[in-house]
Amino acid sequence: RSSQQGTDSGDGSPSSAAAETPSSEDFSLSLLDTNLPAEAETELRSFIAKRLTKGALFEGMGNVASVGLSIPEYKVGCYYCRFQQENLLEMATLESDINAPEYVICFLGGSEKEDTFRLELDKYIQSLKINLDLEQKTLETCVNPYLGSWFENAICPIQRVVQLFQDKLASLLHAALSYTPVEVKNADERTEKDISRFLAAASLQGLVQEGTMTSLCIAMTEEQHKSMIIDCSGPQPQLHNAGSNRFCEDWMHAFVNGAEGGNPFLVRQILENFKLKAIQDINNLKRFIRQAEMNHYALFKCYMFLKNCGSGDILLKIVKVEHAEMPEARNVVTVLEEFMRE
């Protein structure tokens, strides 16, 4: 047990606890804040203490697990993350004898599907580390409101965008897949952030080669006349220079239907399935192109695939960028472009 007192921060739905020296069993957990009932808070603290004892919590990296609480008498999904404040972390690095308090933040939801939002919640905690002072004097004014709004700010933006755009969502999906630049005008700060986060979440960043994304971004940015403009001055956004295709329109219906139930986790799962299907189509096309380098029938299969997949315009751009340095594949792509234009 360190000579300093440990603290713990959480907000029931957020609930949180702070631990010093989590690498050893000799630590204390004390409650900083919660909106959980006392009995459930004790059970949650016990769960976190076991994880700390096992050394299963790494600084700044959130985890999602199912936790059994007597209230509301069923298992809930729990996101939990251990961290130190940025300034204390630097001090502790400079002076190893300083035992700075560490914190565990917990957010509770209806299921383990918080896992689909783990990266967003990690960023949410990172922002807390950088911008907020966890001293007691700022707890009520800064920390409590921040923790209490985790669901609205980290989980709901994607659903809000679907509800705002409705049938115009297809153009937003198209812009995200093709890395078309998007300008948002006359929107309040929250709406602008929501749209930006939706575009980032719906893009294939991290799922296709980094060089491909960079080249696509450069190519689309150079076509400035194709930038999509979203005007939010009216009750529903007005789009200019918007593109779309059958693939995005089909998925738009799935998003709109999913959002009607009011479950943001379902909407996020639909988004992940949308990206998975796009990646599968890209991989299939690349496989056909490899075959078409030596087989004219495979070239015809490429063409039929592009015609029928509903997203041929975007897939052609992606494979064109990826195969730019491969002469034989580039020739196949050139022929496909000519066929598609005709």
Side-chain angles (χ1 to χ4, degrees):
R1 218 177 270 276
S2 130
S3 57
Q4 285 185 318
Q5 176 124 17
T7 18
D8 182 65
S9 152
D11 214 42
S13 290
S15 174
S16 108
E20 310 168 44
T21 62
S23 56
S24 75
E25 293 188 24
D26 193 19
F27 62 84
S28 64
L29 275 177
S30 54
L31 179 69
L32 189 58
D33 184 44
T34 186
N35 62 4
L36 272 180
E39 186 179 354
E41 187 277 317
T42 303
E43 293 164 342
L44 180 61
R45 190 190 306 212
S46 172
F47 166 79
I48 294 297
K50 287 176 185 173
R51 294 294 170 120
L52 287 167
T53 301
K54 292 176 182 176
L57 275 74
F58 299 100
E59 164 75 24
M61 290 176 59
N63 298 269
V64 176
S66 185
V67 184
L69 301 178
S70 56
I71 308 170
E73 297 179 350
Y74 65 93
K75 290 195 171 185
V76 296
C78 174
Y79 166 91
Y80 55 97
C81 183
R82 175 172 74 88
F83 72 98
Q84 278 183 298
Q85 283 176 253
E86 293 284 280
N87 56 341
L88 294 177
L89 196 57
E90 291 168 12
M91 286 169 57
T93 305
L94 295 171
E95 304 178 43
S96 56
D97 58 328
I98 292 181
N99 205 343
E102 296 186 64
Y103 302 86
V104 179
I105 299 282
C106 302
F107 297 132
L108 300 181
S111 73
E112 286 188 65
K113 289 177 181 167
E114 281 88 341
D115 196 40
T116 56
F117 286 94
R118 189 172 52 79
L119 294 178
E120 280 91 342
L121 291 170
D122 282 352
K123 287 179 184 174
Y124 200 69
I125 300 301
Q126 187 68 22
S127 184
L128 180 76
K129 288 171 62 174
I130 294 168
N131 299 322
L132 296 179
D133 181 358
L134 281 171
E135 291 177 14
Q136 199 69 32
K137 62 186 179 186
T138 66
L139 185 63
E140 290 185 10
T141 56
C142 297
V143 179
N144 282 8
Y146 189 84
L147 291 176
S149 60
W150 73 276
F151 192 81
E152 191 69 17
N153 291 338
I155 306 297
C156 293
I158 291 172
Q159 178 179 267
R160 283 199 295 264
V161 168
V162 174
Q163 291 169 334
L164 176 65
F165 279 77
Q166 294 293 315
D167 58 350
K168 294 180 181 177
L169 188 74
S171 294
L172 205 59
L173 293 170
H174 189 270
L177 280 187
S178 61
Y179 271 72
T180 301
V182 173
E183 296 177 33
V184 181
K185 296 183 176 180
N186 303 314
D188 58 71
E189 185 182 1
R190 188 177 84 162
T191 300
E192 193 165 348
K193 279 185 180 176
D194 284 354
I195 293 171
S196 174
R197 287 178 59 175
F198 183 92
L199 288 168
S203 79
L204 301 181
Q205 187 78 41
L207 298 177
V208 301
Q209 296 174 18
E210 196 60 42
T212 301
M213 287 294 94
T214 305
S215 301
L216 262 180
C217 288
I218 293 170
M220 296 308 292
T221 305
E222 286 172 351
E223 300 177 25
Q224 278 302 333
H225 60 284
K226 288 194 175 180
S227 293
M228 186 171 86
I229 297 169
I230 302 173
D231 185 353
C232 295
S233 54
Q236 213 191 1
Q238 298 301 310
L239 309 182
H240 306 281
N241 301 329
S244 186
N245 58 31
R246 185 161 43 84
F247 180 81
C248 294
E249 284 162 11
D250 289 344
W251 277 95
M252 173 268 296
H253 294 296
F255 278 100
V256 172
N257 292 338
E260 285 177 358
N263 183 346
F265 298 107
L266 173 61
V267 176
R268 181 52 183 264
Q269 192 57 58
I270 293 170
L271 185 63
E272 294 305 315
N273 294 342
F274 163 78
K275 293 197 293 183
L276 178 63
K277 184 65 173 80
I279 287 293
Q280 287 173 341
D281 285 351
I282 291 170
N283 290 337
N284 282 333
L285 179 58
K286 289 198 287 192
R287 182 163 50 83
F288 290 147
I289 287 174
R290 282 197 301 273
Q291 294 169 359
E293 291 174 18
M294 298 168 287
N295 182 324
H296 282 262
Y297 177 68
L299 179 62
F300 180 70
K301 276 174 67 178
C302 277
Y303 168 62
M304 293 307 295
F305 178 78
L306 284 170
K307 267 188 67 174
N308 296 327
C309 71
S311 193
D313 57 331
I314 293 175
L315 297 188
L316 257 181
K317 280 181 183 174
I318 292 173
V319 295
K320 184 177 182 180
V321 167
E322 285 201 358
H323 294 102
E325 305 301 322
M326 305 175 193
E328 291 178 349
R330 191 175 65 229
N331 291 339
V332 172
V333 173
T334 302
V335 171
L336 289 172
E337 282 186 309
E338 290 173 6
F339 271 101
M340 292 298 284
R341 271 199 299 272
E342 290 172 12

